[in-house]
Structures are given as structure tokens and as C-alpha cells.
Amino acid sequence: MREFDEKELNKLSIDELTILFMDNINEQNLKMIKGIEFLVQEKFDKFKENLNYVIDTNTEVQIKKKFESKIFKSKLMFSKADRLKLFNKINNIKDIGEYLANRMLLYKVVFPDEKFKLQIQLILKSLRKISNDLSNAVKLIGTDLSKAHDICEEIKEERRIMRKEEWKLLNRLYNYDMDYLSRTFLYLKNLIEDIMMLADHMKDFSEYIQFLAIKYLIFD
Amino acid sequence: MAEELTFILVIVLVAMAVGLAFSIGANDETLASLVGAGVLKFKLALILGGFAIGLGMILFSGGFVPETVGKNLLGEGLGEKYTNYMLLTVLISSIIWLVVGSFAGIPLSSTHSLIGSIVGVIIVYSIFQGGVDLNTAFNYEKLRDVVLSWFISPISGLLITYVLFKFSAKFLLSRLRGLNQIEKSEKNFKWLLLIAVLFAEIWVGANSGEALAILLGLRENYSITGGQYITFAIICGIFSFLGIYFAARYVIRNLASHMIDTRPSEGFIIQMSSAIILMIATLFALPISHSHVIVFCIIGMNIAQRKEVDYKGLGKMGIFWILTFPIAGILAGFIYFGLNMFGFT
């Protein structure tokens, strides 16, 4: 993600800054997901590179600062608090992503078998879809809350599918025939739980977007 | 001695009428939606609102509601005149009942309280003093219209709000799809809200004829002249302005802080509906309760938006609303009877 200069950011509205921020965070999410896929493929250098990107990138800080100064002085009337909350929820994704990336970089795990790899990839596929959908939903808040609401419904459905896979995976992890290194067990357990945490936050976020749709849309 | 006493009584009544005008301004919450939506700076909102209420009070002091309360409710048997002690009793009784209501935490209508007190005083006067036939003591037609308007006005407020909301939802609000569009539309509604609130304030002032009715009663029994009445009416208008500026600010600020999330479009519909009702009632010279109308307008909005309505709380409020008229009447009757015992008629 490229750096932004102050003038460029100044020109953007609250809505545009939110979309830019979401794009930025989504890009980092996708990098992280790709990084985990590299881990599954045991391409550790690329894994490290991708996850470090998530940790080191701070273009979102620029956008965040600009957003905060703008919303404070903004003449938005009644959606100000909701817009701020929305932005903070996007920011929380970044926080969770960073936490996840840091934890994952502590160790380079080798997955126990191919089925395990396949299951993780299924979960990551869902996570990627959720992240992209969420980004699209945020983009639509300013222009079409109804569509944003529908996309969020899809996110919730995807999260349901994903959760089933996660429990299957955890079940396999705890009941695996062979004993593996305690580090491997702990790492994999944390990896699955952290992905769950990130996905749950995204689901909560999508529910918040649905709440906004219900709050602001008027039906005749 | 008697003349001095009458003079003092007139001064007391004029002072109480002016005080009542101040309290009308002080209890007015119409500006809360305007301040809550952040349309104007707080002080400017108070000044404009105060000016509007004062203007309404002065412009409509020549007849309309003050004439109904101060003269037209009385029948031929009473020669369409109050005595000064009657006016004093009406004021004392209303104040006592309103203070009791405030301590009980229930917003009561000063209009209902005042009319109830008038009825109580006249019944006692007719039976114990004047030997007036109760059939001719009241202008029953006017009294019926006034009491009917108390039921019709809130229900009409509810219906107008419902219809206005449904109309605006169908042709405008439901067509706004995104937050950007909604914000833009609400920004425009902000200015419409300003107009609606100021319009409502004028009719609040015009319909709040309690203070002027006392003065008109004094004019009708020749305690003050027509010129003095106009002067005092202007003073009442100024004091209602001061009431808003100095006393209502706390209530307005408090209510406004709870209304930050309220959409200006909703505020506009509610204020416009209540203003229409107040305007019609004023033009028909019917004193109605602004707070009752506003509460029902809000209910109309909630029903139109399929939101929950607190019927239990409303029922409790409704009982006090209905009780206000008879209780104020009984209270006034007792006070006036007491004054009669000491020869003050």
C-alpha cells in the first residue's frame, strides 16, 4: 500500500477516508491470509515476508489520524458517533491481525498431514471471502445500506460454514493419532483460535453494519 | 381601605399574570429538538425561540384564546365577568396543582388546570354567592368546544404526524439508500426544522393564553383599561421571552442532549404537526395543551415507524391528564369557598 500525502488525504471526505482505511486493512488481511497459506506450503520465507508486511505497514495510521481530526470538526449531524464506531471497528481488525501475525511469527510450524493442510486452506478461503465481503459492505454504507445489509448476511452465513470447519479441525488436533511436539500443538491451537477470533470480530462488525442499515433506512 | 385592597389585589394579579407568562416560557421545551440537531448555536436558538413565543403571545392577545379563557367561558348569568378574587383563586389553585404535579414527576397541563379552576370557582360562586342559575353561569357551548378540543387535538396530532411521516417516507425518506444521501437530506431538513420550531413557538405563545386571560379578566371587570391591557400583554410577551432565555435553557439543554440521535426530518414532522394543531386551535380560540399534543405527535411517529409505544406509562399520564380538570376544579372551589367565608368575593 502506497504512502499518502497530507494534501491528498485532506481532500477526502469522512466516507472516502473510511473506505480507504477499510481497503488498507483488507489488503493487509489478504496478505496475512496469503502468508498463512505459504506457511501451509512450508514456504517460510514468503510466510515471514507477508506477515512482517502486516506488522510493519503503517499507512493506515496516517488515514486514521486524518479521519479522527476530520470527524472531530465534522459537520455531520447525526451519524457522527456511528461513523466513529465504524472506523474503530475496522481499526480493531488491524489490531487483531497484528496480534495474530506476531504470534504466528514466533514459530515455523510444519502441519501434521495433508488433510490438516486442506482443512486450514478451507478456513482461509472462507476468511478471505469474509474479509473481501466486509470491505465491499463498508464501501456501500455511504451509498446503499440495503445492499451492504445483504452482503453482511452473506458474511454471517460464511462464518457459520467456517465455524463448522474450525471445530472439525480442532477436534482432529486434539484427537490426532500420533503425538506431536507440544509447540506444534500449541501453535496450531492458537492459530485456529486466533483465526476464529478475527472471523468473529468481522462477523460482529457485519452485524453492526446491519444495525446501521436498520437504524437509518426508512421503509414506507 | 377597600379601595386600597382592591388596588393591591389588581397589582398582585398583574404580577402573577406576568409571572405566569414567564413560567410559560420557562416550561417550553419546543427548542430542544432544534438544539439537539445542532441547527443553531444555543444562545441564538434561545433568542429566536423566545422572540417567537413572545411575538405569538402579543400578536394574539387581542382576542382568540385569552378572550375564551378570560371572558367567553362565562355565561349570561355571570354577566361575562370575573371578580378579582375569582381570578386570584383560579391562579392559586392552578399553581398548587401544577406544583403537586411537578413533585410527582408528572407533566400536567396548565391550560386544563386553569379551566378546571375556573369551572370550580364559578360553581361555588353560583351556588353560594351570586344566586346564579348554573344553567346560565357558563357558556356551555364554548366550554363543550374547549373540553372536546382537549381530546381532539392530541388525537389529531397523532394522525397528522402519522400521515406526514408516511407521506414523506413514501416519496422521500425511503428512497434514500446510503448514509451519505441520508446525511445530505437531513442537512436540508435541519433548516426546515428551524422554520417548523419557530412556527410552532409562535403558536405556543399564541395558544398559551393563561396569563393574558387573567389580564383580560381584569380588563373586562374594569380593573385595568384597554391601554393598560395592551401594555401588560407586551410585558407578558417580553417575560415569556425571558422565561425561555433564563429558565428554560436548563431543560432544553438536558432534553437536547438526549436528542442527538434524533433525525431532523422526524423533529420537523413532529414540530410541524403540533404547530398545525396549535394554529387551528388558536384560530378557533380554543386553549389546548401543547405538551399533550407533542406527546401524541411522538406516539404517532412511533406508530408510523413501528416502534414500541409505552402504553403503560401513557396510561398513567393519561389518568393525571384527565384528573387535572376535576381536581383543579375541586381545589379552586374549596379555596374560593374559604375566601368567601372571610368576605372576599
Side-chain angles (χ1 to χ4, degrees):
Chain A
M1 183 59 81
R2 66 184 179 88
E3 294 280 320
F4 298 97
D5 65 43
E6 188 73 9
K7 276 184 189 170
E8 212 176 340
L9 290 176
N10 264 337
K11 284 179 194 164
L12 299 178
S13 66
I14 294 287
D15 195 47
E16 287 164 336
L17 282 169
T18 309
I19 291 170
L20 188 64
F21 191 63
M22 185 69 230
D23 273 346
N24 206 291
I25 302 298
N26 186 41
E27 194 222 349
Q28 292 181 35
N29 278 340
L30 297 180
K31 273 268 181 193
M32 189 180 66
I33 293 166
K34 191 74 199 154
I36 304 169
E37 281 172 347
F38 284 133
L39 178 73
V40 174
Q41 294 157 18
E42 291 166 27
K43 292 176 182 168
F44 297 116
D45 285 345
K46 285 190 172 177
F47 156 71
K48 203 177 160 189
E49 188 188 314
N50 274 34
L51 265 63
N52 274 328
Y53 175 87
V54 174
I55 297 164
D56 298 337
T57 310
N58 62 359
T59 46
E60 81 281 349
V61 179
Q62 265 183 297
I63 307 168
K64 189 170 181 255
K65 278 184 183 167
K66 185 49 64 187
F67 176 89
E68 281 165 353
S69 73
K70 273 206 166 186
I71 194 105
F72 186 67
K73 295 172 201 158
S74 154
K75 284 186 177 172
L76 286 174
M77 294 168 54
F78 62 100
S79 66
K80 220 169 167 176
D82 288 325
R83 296 257 192 190
L84 187 64
K85 201 169 173 183
L86 196 77
F87 201 86
N88 287 335
K89 282 191 180 281
I90 303 171
N91 193 47
N92 287 344
I93 297 176
K94 164 73 182 173
D95 293 343
I96 297 170
E98 248 184 50
Y99 169 79
L100 207 150
N102 274 306
R103 287 236 293 190
M104 281 165 62
L105 282 171
L106 293 174
Y107 182 57
K108 290 180 188 69
V109 78
V110 174
F111 284 79
D113 60 27
E114 285 305 311
K115 197 179 174 190
F116 222 104
K117 287 180 181 179
L118 205 69
Q119 279 180 301
I120 278 280
Q121 273 166 342
L122 267 176
I123 289 172
L124 292 174
K125 194 181 158 198
S126 287
L127 188 64
R128 183 180 280 121
K129 185 179 180 332
I130 289 175
S131 184
N132 281 329
D133 281 353
L134 192 61
S135 173
N136 289 334
V138 169
K139 279 176 194 156
L140 286 168
I141 289 171
T143 52
D144 197 336
L145 273 168
S146 187
K147 263 191 190 165
H149 182 278
D150 293 345
I151 292 173
C152 289
E153 205 51 50
E154 286 173 25
I155 292 173
K156 281 156 71 181
E157 188 50 43
E158 192 63 39
R159 179 71 194 105
R160 267 179 225 119
I161 297 167
M162 193 179 163
R163 190 174 288 119
K164 278 181 194 162
E165 289 301 320
E166 284 160 357
W167 286 115
K168 273 188 211 166
L169 197 58
L170 276 175
N171 191 27
R172 268 201 87 214
L173 184 69
Y174 277 92
N175 299 295
Y176 201 63
D177 291 341
M178 288 193 302
D179 274 340
Y180 25 57
L181 282 173
S182 56
R183 266 188 303 188
T184 303
F185 174 81
L186 202 63
Y187 185 92
L188 290 174
K189 177 184 166 286
N190 286 343
L191 172 66
I192 299 161
E193 284 174 356
D194 288 352
I195 290 173
M196 279 172 107
M197 183 168 69
L198 182 61
D200 278 337
H201 176 74
M202 288 181 181
K203 193 205 87 177
D204 284 349
F205 187 9
S206 68
E207 281 169 350
Y208 181 69
I209 294 173
Q210 289 190 317
F211 162 77
L212 290 183
I214 290 164
K215 182 177 171 186
Y216 288 110
L217 283 180
I218 288 171
F219 305 96
D220 61 5
Chain B
M1 181 65 189
E3 265 181 28
E4 272 176 18
L5 200 63
T6 308
F7 180 68
I8 291 167
L9 186 59
V10 170
I11 289 173
V12 168
L13 284 169
V14 169
M16 284 177 96
V18 172
L20 204 58
F22 182 86
S23 74
I24 287 165
N27 280 300
D28 188 58
E29 302 143 359
T30 315
L31 290 172
S33 56
L34 199 62
V35 176
V39 181
L40 292 175
K41 288 195 172 168
F42 187 54
K43 277 191 179 174
L44 185 61
L46 291 177
I47 290 169
L48 285 178
F51 181 75
I53 201 172
L55 187 72
M57 201 175 272
I58 294 164
L59 285 179
F60 291 86
S61 61
F64 302 95
V65 173
E67 199 165 71
T68 298
V69 184
K71 181 184 166 190
N72 291 347
L73 280 176
L74 305 181
E76 288 168 10
L78 277 154
E80 294 175 352
K81 283 185 188 66
Y82 295 97
T83 67
N84 289 348
Y85 285 105
M86 278 181 184
L87 293 171
L88 183 68
T89 307
V90 165
L91 279 171
I92 292 172
S93 152
S94 300
I95 290 166
I96 291 174
W97 178 234
L98 291 176
V99 168
V100 168
S102 296
F103 277 111
I106 295 143
L108 298 175
S109 162
S110 55
T111 310
H112 292 200
S113 189
L114 201 86
I115 307 281
S117 300
I118 289 171
V119 170
V121 162
I122 290 174
I123 290 173
V124 170
Y125 178 83
S126 303
I127 295 171
F128 297 101
Q129 274 295 321
V132 179
D133 182 1
L134 271 175
N135 288 323
T136 60
F138 292 103
N139 177 348
Y140 283 101
E141 205 177 317
K142 197 74 195 170
L143 188 62
R144 180 203 62 200
D145 289 349
V146 169
V147 174
L148 268 179
S149 73
W150 293 347
F151 293 95
I152 294 168
S153 60
I155 292 165
S156 306
L158 184 149
L159 291 174
I160 291 177
T161 308
Y162 183 89
V163 171
L164 272 182
F165 179 79
K166 285 289 177 190
F167 184 80
S168 58
K170 189 165 181 63
F171 295 104
L172 176 70
L173 300 175
S174 67
R175 294 181 183 187
L176 306 170
R177 310 304 306 157
L179 211 49
N180 295 344
Q181 269 185 315
I182 295 168
E183 273 285 353
K184 205 174 162 191
S185 155
E186 293 299 335
K187 251 182 201 169
N188 297 330
F189 267 111
K190 220 168 70 163
W191 300 110
L192 288 173
L193 176 66
L194 172 66
I195 295 166
V197 166
L198 294 181
F199 184 58
E201 281 290 15
I202 290 175
W203 295 108
V204 168
N207 200 273
S208 304
E210 297 94 325
L212 296 179
I214 301 298
L215 296 172
L216 202 130
L218 288 172
R219 187 190 76 183
E220 290 302 307
N221 69 22
Y222 308 112
S223 296
I224 58 171
T225 64
Q228 283 170 329
Y229 171 74
I230 293 166
T231 310
F232 291 137
I234 293 168
I235 292 171
C236 280
I238 294 167
F239 268 77
S240 64
F241 168 89
L242 296 175
I244 282 195
Y245 193 80
F246 289 109
R249 55 171 59 207
Y250 306 105
V251 180
I252 290 168
R253 207 195 296 265
N254 184 26
L255 276 176
S257 67
H258 297 292
M259 294 172 103
I260 290 168
D261 269 350
T262 308
R263 289 166 77 146
S265 56
E266 292 170 7
F268 165 73
I269 290 168
I270 290 171
Q271 292 298 343
M272 197 39 106
S273 306
S274 83
I276 290 169
I277 299 293
L278 282 165
M279 180 183 76
I280 294 170
T282 306
L283 295 177
F284 278 98
L286 296 167
I288 57 168
S289 166
H290 179 222
S291 52
H292 292 192
V293 174
I294 272 284
V295 167
F296 272 76
C297 287
I298 293 168
I299 293 170
M301 179 61 80
N302 284 352
I303 293 172
Q305 294 181 331
R306 298 188 194 113
K307 283 184 185 168
E308 208 175 318
V309 177
D310 178 13
Y311 288 107
K312 207 177 164 188
L314 192 68
K316 189 184 164 194
M317 209 182 266
I319 290 168
F320 275 89
W321 285 357
I322 290 167
L323 283 178
T324 292
F325 183 73
I327 291 182
I330 292 166
L331 191 63
F334 274 111
I335 294 169
Y336 192 61
F337 185 76
L339 286 173
N340 278 197
M341 301 265 281
F342 292 99
F344 301 118
T345 58

Coordinates of all heavy atoms in Angstrom, one line a residue, chain A residues 13-16 19 75-83 86 139-147 212 215-220, chain B residues 37 39 165-166 169-171 173-183 186-187 190 260-266 304-306:
Chain A
S13 N -13.4 12.9 1.9 CA -14.5 13.0 2.8 C -14.4 11.9 3.9 O -13.6 11.0 3.8 CB -15.8 12.9 2.1 OG -16.0 11.6 1.7
I14 N -15.2 12.1 4.9 CA -15.2 11.1 6.0 C -15.5 9.7 5.4 O -14.8 8.7 5.8 CB -16.4 11.4 7.0 CG1 -16.0 12.7 7.7 CG2 -16.6 10.3 8.0 CD1 -14.9 12.6 8.8
D15 N -16.5 9.6 4.5 CA -16.8 8.3 3.9 C -15.7 7.8 3.1 O -15.4 6.6 3.2 CB -18.1 8.6 3.0 CG -18.7 7.3 2.6 OD1 -18.9 6.4 3.5 OD2 -19.0 7.0 1.4
E16 N -15.0 8.7 2.3 CA -13.9 8.2 1.5 C -12.7 7.7 2.3 O -12.1 6.8 2.0 CB -13.5 9.3 0.5 CG -14.5 9.6 -0.6 CD -14.3 10.9 -1.3 OE1 -13.7 11.8 -0.7 OE2 -14.7 11.0 -2.5
I19 N -13.5 4.3 3.6 CA -13.4 3.3 2.5 C -11.9 3.0 2.3 O -11.4 1.8 2.2 CB -14.0 3.7 1.2 CG1 -15.6 3.7 1.4 CG2 -13.7 2.8 0.0 CD1 -16.3 4.4 0.3
K75 N -19.1 18.4 10.3 CA -20.5 19.0 10.4 C -21.5 17.9 10.2 O -22.7 18.2 10.1 CB -20.7 20.1 9.5 CG -20.0 21.4 10.0 CD -20.3 22.6 9.1 CE -19.6 23.8 9.7 NZ -19.7 24.9 8.8
L76 N -21.1 16.6 10.2 CA -22.1 15.6 10.1 C -23.0 15.7 11.3 O -22.5 15.9 12.4 CB -21.4 14.2 10.1 CG -20.6 13.8 8.9 CD1 -19.9 12.5 9.1 CD2 -21.6 13.6 7.7
M77 N -24.3 15.4 11.1 CA -25.2 15.7 12.1 C -25.5 14.6 13.1 O -25.3 14.7 14.3 CB -26.5 16.2 11.6 CG -26.4 17.5 10.9 SD -27.8 17.8 10.0 CE -29.0 17.6 11.3
F78 N -26.0 13.5 12.5 CA -26.4 12.5 13.5 C -25.8 11.2 13.3 O -26.0 10.3 14.0 CB -28.0 12.3 13.4 CG -28.4 11.9 12.0 CD1 -28.7 10.6 11.8 CD2 -28.5 12.8 11.0 CE1 -29.1 10.2 10.5 CE2 -28.9 12.4 9.7 CZ -29.2 11.1 9.5
S79 N -24.9 11.1 12.3 CA -24.2 9.8 12.1 C -22.8 9.8 12.6 O -22.0 8.9 12.4 CB -24.3 9.4 10.6 OG -23.5 10.3 9.9
K80 N -22.4 10.9 13.2 CA -21.0 11.1 13.6 C -20.5 10.0 14.5 O -19.5 9.4 14.3 CB -20.9 12.5 14.4 CG -19.7 13.3 14.1 CD -19.9 14.7 14.6 CE -18.7 15.4 14.7 NZ -18.9 16.8 15.1
A81 N -21.3 9.7 15.6 CA -20.9 8.7 16.5 C -20.8 7.3 15.9 O -19.9 6.5 16.1 CB -21.9 8.7 17.7
D82 N -21.8 7.1 15.0 CA -21.8 5.8 14.3 C -20.6 5.6 13.4 O -20.1 4.6 13.2 CB -23.1 5.6 13.5 CG -24.3 5.4 14.5 OD1 -24.1 4.7 15.5 OD2 -25.4 5.9 14.2
R83 N -20.3 6.7 12.7 CA -19.1 6.7 11.8 C -17.9 6.4 12.5 O -17.0 5.7 12.1 CB -19.0 8.0 11.0 CG -20.2 8.4 10.2 CD -19.8 8.1 8.7 NE -20.8 8.7 7.8 CZ -20.8 8.4 6.5 NH1 -19.9 7.6 6.0 NH2 -21.7 9.0 5.7
L86 N -17.8 2.8 13.6 CA -17.5 2.0 12.4 C -16.0 2.0 12.1 O -15.4 0.9 11.9 CB -18.2 2.7 11.2 CG -18.4 1.9 9.9 CD1 -19.6 0.9 10.1 CD2 -18.8 2.9 8.8
K139 N -17.8 -0.2 1.8 CA -17.8 0.7 0.7 C -19.3 1.2 0.4 O -19.5 2.2 -0.1 CB -17.2 0.1 -0.6 CG -15.7 0.1 -0.6 CD -15.2 -0.6 -1.8 CE -13.7 -0.9 -1.6 NZ -13.2 -2.0 -2.3
L140 N -20.2 0.3 0.7 CA -21.6 0.6 0.3 C -22.4 1.3 1.4 O -23.5 1.8 1.1 CB -22.4 -0.7 0.0 CG -22.0 -1.4 -1.4 CD1 -22.5 -2.8 -1.4 CD2 -22.6 -0.5 -2.5
I141 N -21.8 1.5 2.5 CA -22.5 2.2 3.6 C -23.0 3.6 3.2 O -24.1 4.0 3.5 CB -21.6 2.2 4.9 CG1 -21.5 0.8 5.5 CG2 -22.2 3.2 6.0 CD1 -20.6 0.6 6.6
G142 N -22.1 4.3 2.5 CA -22.4 5.6 2.1 C -23.4 5.7 1.0 O -24.2 6.7 0.9
T143 N -23.5 4.7 0.2 CA -24.4 4.8 -1.0 C -25.6 3.8 -1.0 O -26.6 4.1 -1.6 CB -23.5 4.5 -2.3 OG1 -22.8 3.3 -2.1 CG2 -22.6 5.6 -2.5
D144 N -25.4 2.6 -0.4 CA -26.5 1.7 -0.5 C -26.5 0.7 0.8 O -25.9 -0.4 0.7 CB -26.5 0.9 -1.8 CG -27.8 0.2 -2.1 OD1 -28.5 -0.1 -1.1 OD2 -28.0 -0.1 -3.2
L145 N -27.1 1.2 1.8 CA -27.1 0.4 3.1 C -27.9 -0.9 2.9 O -27.5 -1.9 3.6 CB -27.8 1.3 4.1 CG -26.9 2.2 4.9 CD1 -27.7 3.2 5.7 CD2 -26.0 1.5 5.8
S146 N -28.8 -0.9 2.0 CA -29.6 -2.1 1.8 C -28.7 -3.2 1.2 O -28.8 -4.4 1.7 CB -30.8 -1.8 0.9 OG -31.6 -2.9 0.8
K147 N -27.9 -2.9 0.3 CA -27.0 -3.9 -0.3 C -26.0 -4.3 0.7 O -25.6 -5.5 0.8 CB -26.3 -3.3 -1.6 CG -27.0 -3.6 -2.9 CD -26.1 -3.2 -4.0 CE -26.8 -3.4 -5.3 NZ -26.2 -2.7 -6.4
L212 N -26.8 -0.6 11.5 CA -26.8 0.8 10.9 C -27.9 0.9 9.8 O -28.6 1.9 9.7 CB -25.5 1.2 10.3 CG -24.3 1.4 11.3 CD1 -23.1 1.9 10.5 CD2 -24.7 2.5 12.3
K215 N -31.1 1.1 11.5 CA -31.3 2.4 12.2 C -31.6 3.5 11.2 O -32.4 4.3 11.4 CB -30.0 2.7 12.9 CG -30.1 4.0 13.7 CD -28.8 4.1 14.5 CE -28.7 5.5 15.1 NZ -27.4 5.7 15.8
Y216 N -30.9 3.5 10.0 CA -31.0 4.6 9.1 C -32.0 4.5 8.0 O -32.5 5.5 7.5 CB -29.6 5.0 8.6 CG -28.7 5.6 9.6 CD1 -27.6 4.9 10.1 CD2 -29.0 6.9 10.1 CE1 -26.8 5.5 11.1 CE2 -28.2 7.5 11.1 CZ -27.1 6.8 11.6 OH -26.4 7.3 12.6
L217 N -32.2 3.3 7.6 CA -33.1 3.1 6.4 C -34.6 3.2 6.9 O -35.0 2.7 7.9 CB -32.9 1.8 5.7 CG -31.7 1.6 4.8 CD1 -31.6 0.2 4.2 CD2 -31.7 2.7 3.7
I218 N -35.4 3.9 6.1 CA -36.8 4.0 6.4 C -37.5 3.3 5.3 O -37.3 3.5 4.1 CB -37.2 5.5 6.5 CG1 -36.6 6.1 7.7 CG2 -38.7 5.7 6.4 CD1 -36.7 7.6 7.9
F219 N -38.4 2.5 5.7 CA -39.2 1.7 4.7 C -40.7 2.3 4.7 O -41.2 2.6 5.8 CB -39.3 0.2 5.1 CG -37.9 -0.3 5.2 CD1 -37.3 -0.4 6.5 CD2 -37.2 -0.8 4.1 CE1 -36.0 -0.9 6.6 CE2 -35.9 -1.3 4.3 CZ -35.3 -1.4 5.5
D220 N -41.2 2.4 3.5 CA -42.6 3.0 3.5 C -43.7 1.9 3.8 O -43.4 0.8 3.8 CB -42.9 3.7 2.2 CG -42.8 2.9 1.0 OD1 -42.6 1.6 1.2 OD2 -42.9 3.4 -0.1
Chain B
A37 N -30.4 18.9 17.4 CA -30.0 18.7 16.0 C -28.8 19.6 15.6 O -28.2 19.5 14.6 CB -31.1 18.9 15.0
V39 N -28.8 22.8 15.0 CA -29.1 23.7 13.9 C -28.5 25.1 14.2 O -27.9 25.7 13.3 CB -30.6 23.8 13.7 CG1 -30.9 24.7 12.5 CG2 -31.2 22.4 13.4
F165 N -45.5 11.5 8.2 CA -44.4 10.6 8.2 C -44.5 9.6 7.0 O -43.6 9.4 6.3 CB -44.2 9.9 9.5 CG -43.0 9.0 9.4 CD1 -41.7 9.5 9.5 CD2 -43.1 7.6 9.2 CE1 -40.6 8.7 9.4 CE2 -42.0 6.8 9.1 CZ -40.8 7.3 9.2
K166 N -45.7 9.0 6.9 CA -45.9 8.0 5.9 C -45.7 8.6 4.5 O -45.2 8.0 3.6 CB -47.3 7.4 6.0 CG -47.4 6.4 7.2 CD -46.7 5.1 6.9 CE -46.7 4.2 8.0 NZ -45.8 3.0 7.8
A169 N -42.1 9.4 4.0 CA -41.4 8.1 3.9 C -41.6 7.6 2.4 O -40.6 7.1 1.8 CB -41.9 7.1 4.9
K170 N -42.8 7.6 2.0 CA -43.1 7.1 0.6 C -42.4 7.8 -0.5 O -41.8 7.2 -1.4 CB -44.6 7.1 0.4 CG -45.0 6.3 -0.8 CD -46.5 6.0 -0.9 CE -46.9 5.2 -2.1 NZ -46.2 3.9 -2.2
F171 N -42.4 9.1 -0.4 CA -41.9 9.9 -1.5 C -40.5 10.5 -1.3 O -39.9 11.0 -2.3 CB -42.9 11.1 -1.8 CG -44.2 10.6 -2.3 CD1 -45.3 10.6 -1.4 CD2 -44.4 10.1 -3.6 CE1 -46.5 10.1 -1.9 CE2 -45.6 9.7 -4.0 CZ -46.7 9.7 -3.1
L173 N -38.1 9.8 2.1 CA -37.1 9.1 3.1 C -36.8 7.7 2.7 O -35.7 7.2 2.9 CB -37.7 9.2 4.5 CG -38.0 10.6 5.0 CD1 -38.6 10.6 6.4 CD2 -36.7 11.4 5.1
S174 N -37.8 6.9 2.2 CA -37.5 5.5 1.9 C -36.7 5.4 0.6 O -36.2 4.3 0.2 CB -38.8 4.7 1.7 OG -39.5 5.2 0.6
R175 N -36.5 6.5 -0.1 CA -35.7 6.5 -1.4 C -34.3 6.8 -1.1 O -33.4 6.7 -2.0 CB -36.3 7.5 -2.4 CG -37.7 7.0 -2.8 CD -38.3 7.9 -3.8 NE -39.6 7.5 -4.1 CZ -40.4 8.0 -5.1 NH1 -39.9 9.0 -5.8 NH2 -41.6 7.6 -5.3
L176 N -34.0 7.2 0.1 CA -32.6 7.5 0.4 C -31.9 6.2 0.8 O -32.3 5.5 1.8 CB -32.5 8.5 1.6 CG -33.3 9.8 1.4 CD1 -33.3 10.6 2.7 CD2 -32.6 10.6 0.3
R177 N -30.9 5.8 0.0 CA -30.3 4.4 0.2 C -29.1 4.4 1.1 O -28.9 3.4 1.8 CB -30.0 3.8 -1.2 CG -31.1 3.9 -2.2 CD -32.4 3.2 -1.8 NE -32.2 1.9 -1.3 CZ -33.1 1.3 -0.5 NH1 -34.1 1.9 -0.1 NH2 -32.8 0.0 -0.1
G178 N -28.2 5.4 1.0 CA -27.0 5.3 1.7 C -26.9 6.4 2.7 O -27.6 7.4 2.7
L179 N -25.9 6.2 3.6 CA -25.7 7.2 4.7 C -25.3 8.6 4.2 O -25.8 9.6 4.8 CB -24.6 6.7 5.6 CG -24.6 7.0 7.1 CD1 -26.0 6.7 7.7 CD2 -23.6 6.2 7.9
N180 N -24.6 8.6 3.1 CA -24.3 9.9 2.5 C -25.5 10.7 2.1 O -25.7 11.9 2.4 CB -23.3 9.8 1.3 CG -22.0 9.2 1.7 OD1 -21.6 9.2 2.9 ND2 -21.3 8.7 0.7
Q181 N -26.4 10.0 1.4 CA -27.7 10.6 0.9 C -28.5 11.0 2.1 O -29.1 12.1 2.1 CB -28.5 9.6 0.1 CG -28.2 9.6 -1.4 CD -29.1 8.6 -2.1 OE1 -29.3 7.5 -1.6 NE2 -29.7 9.0 -3.2
I182 N -28.6 10.1 3.1 CA -29.4 10.4 4.3 C -28.9 11.7 5.0 O -29.7 12.6 5.3 CB -29.4 9.2 5.2 CG1 -30.1 8.0 4.5 CG2 -30.1 9.5 6.5 CD1 -30.0 6.7 5.2
E183 N -27.6 11.7 5.1 CA -27.0 12.9 5.8 C -27.3 14.2 5.1 O -27.7 15.2 5.7 CB -25.4 12.7 5.8 CG -24.9 12.0 7.0 CD -24.9 12.8 8.3 OE1 -25.3 14.0 8.3 OE2 -24.7 12.2 9.4
E186 N -30.9 15.1 5.5 CA -31.2 15.5 6.9 C -30.6 17.0 7.1 O -31.1 17.7 7.9 CB -30.6 14.6 7.9 CG -31.3 13.2 8.0 CD -32.8 13.3 8.3 OE1 -33.2 14.2 9.0 OE2 -33.5 12.4 7.9
K187 N -29.5 17.3 6.4 CA -29.0 18.6 6.5 C -30.0 19.6 6.0 O -30.1 20.7 6.5 CB -27.7 18.7 5.6 CG -26.4 18.8 6.5 CD -25.2 19.0 5.6 CE -24.0 18.5 6.4 NZ -22.8 18.4 5.5
K190 N -32.7 20.1 8.4 CA -32.3 20.9 9.6 C -32.9 22.3 9.5 O -33.4 22.9 10.4 CB -30.7 21.1 9.5 CG -30.0 21.0 10.7 CD -28.5 20.8 10.5 CE -27.9 22.0 9.9 NZ -26.4 22.0 10.0
I260 N -29.6 13.8 20.4 CA -28.5 13.9 19.4 C -28.8 13.0 18.2 O -28.5 13.3 17.1 CB -27.2 13.7 20.0 CG1 -26.8 14.9 21.0 CG2 -26.1 13.5 19.0 CD1 -25.7 14.7 21.9
D261 N -29.3 11.8 18.5 CA -29.6 10.8 17.5 C -30.9 11.0 16.7 O -31.2 10.3 15.8 CB -29.6 9.4 18.1 CG -28.2 8.8 18.1 OD1 -27.3 9.4 17.4 OD2 -28.0 7.8 18.7
T262 N -31.7 12.0 17.2 CA -33.0 12.2 16.6 C -32.8 12.8 15.2 O -32.0 13.8 15.1 CB -33.9 13.1 17.4 OG1 -33.9 12.6 18.7 CG2 -35.3 13.2 16.8
R263 N -33.4 12.3 14.2 CA -33.2 12.9 12.9 C -34.0 14.1 12.7 O -35.2 14.2 13.1 CB -33.7 11.8 11.8 CG -32.8 10.7 11.7 CD -33.4 9.5 11.0 NE -33.3 9.8 9.6 CZ -33.2 8.8 8.7 NH1 -33.0 7.6 9.1 NH2 -33.2 9.1 7.4
P264 N -33.4 15.2 12.1 CA -34.1 16.4 11.9 C -35.4 16.2 11.1 O -36.4 17.0 11.4 CB -33.1 17.3 11.1 CG -31.8 16.7 11.5 CD -32.0 15.3 11.7
S265 N -35.5 15.2 10.2 CA -36.7 15.0 9.5 C -37.8 14.6 10.4 O -39.0 15.0 10.3 CB -36.5 13.9 8.4 OG -36.1 12.7 9.0
E266 N -37.5 13.8 11.4 CA -38.5 13.3 12.4 C -38.9 14.5 13.3 O -40.1 14.8 13.5 CB -38.0 12.2 13.3 CG -37.7 10.9 12.6 CD -36.9 10.0 13.4 OE1 -36.7 10.2 14.6 OE2 -36.6 8.9 12.9
A304 N -46.0 5.1 13.3 CA -45.7 5.1 11.9 C -44.4 4.4 11.6 O -44.2 3.7 10.6 CB -45.6 6.6 11.4
Q305 N -43.4 4.4 12.6 CA -42.1 3.8 12.4 C -42.1 2.4 12.9 O -41.1 1.7 13.0 CB -41.0 4.6 13.0 CG -40.8 5.9 12.4 CD -39.7 6.7 13.0 OE1 -39.4 6.5 14.2 NE2 -39.0 7.5 12.3
R306 N -43.3 1.9 13.4 CA -43.5 0.6 14.0 C -42.5 0.4 15.2 O -41.9 -0.6 15.4 CB -43.3 -0.5 13.0 CG -44.3 -0.4 11.9 CD -44.2 -1.7 11.0 NE -44.9 -1.4 9.8 CZ -44.4 -1.3 8.6 NH1 -43.1 -1.4 8.5 NH2 -45.1 -1.1 7.5

